[in-house]
Amino acid sequence: MNGQTREQLRAIHAYQCVRAVPPGIRADYKPRVHGLGASVLRDGLAAALTFLEREKKADERAPLETNAAMRLLSDLAKSLEKAPIPELKRRLATMSLPDAVRELKLEEYMLATRETLRLVVWFRRAVQATFKDSEQTRAQ
């Protein structure tokens, strides 16, 4: 055992992901992170991820470094791979995150939703602590 709680591991991973976001997409990444939790609560996890997926597909040729929706989906997938949800881990090995979530049974779907909401809290905190004010105001 490494002595760190799951909450600490979520925080560490979220900060690592957010620090790695290229400056060119930070203004786009921030509102997506800030809106994700509300979208999950309002519409459900599958719908919130589908919205990001649709945004990703609008500019699918763009590399990960220039597409904020694509970057956020990738960051969430990496984070959820570490979650204690075996069925989700198994599906993420061969599917995209939105597809994997849509295939989950109710119990795993609920666990994935809770885990995503916990992750979003840390992603929001990381964005607020990491992105400079000038980057934040450009998105508004």
Side-chain angles (χ1 to χ4, degrees), residues 20-26 29 61-71:
V21 173
I25 64 168
R26 287 183 172 188
Y29 189 89
R61 293 182 314 249
L64 186 62
E65 295 80 31
T66 61
N67 188 312
M70 192 180 222
R71 181 65 182 233

Side-chain angles (χ1 to χ4, degrees), residues 53-132:
E53 184 180 46
R54 185 182 69 206
E55 294 295 314
K56 172 184 126 180
K57 286 185 179 181
D59 196 9
E60 201 165 293
R61 293 182 314 249
L64 186 62
E65 295 80 31
T66 61
N67 188 312
M70 192 180 222
R71 181 65 182 233
L72 182 53
L73 277 173
S74 172
D75 290 346
L76 286 172
K78 288 181 215 165
S79 300
L80 287 168
E81 280 177 351
K82 298 176 181 186
I85 309 169
E87 187 62 26
L88 182 59
K89 280 185 200 181
R90 188 180 67 73
R91 292 182 187 279
L92 283 173
T94 58
M95 301 175 151
S96 69
L97 176 59
D99 289 337
V101 166
R102 286 189 284 263
E103 295 288 323
L104 293 175
K105 292 184 179 164
L106 180 60
E107 186 176 317
E108 288 113 6
Y109 180 84
M110 291 170 62
L111 288 171
T113 298
R114 286 188 209 116
E115 184 66 24
T116 301
L117 289 171
R118 288 181 183 117
L119 283 166
V120 167
V121 168
W122 286 109
F123 272 85
R124 286 180 63 131
R125 289 175 180 166
V127 164
Q128 291 168 349
T130 305
F131 293 0
K132 295 177 183 154

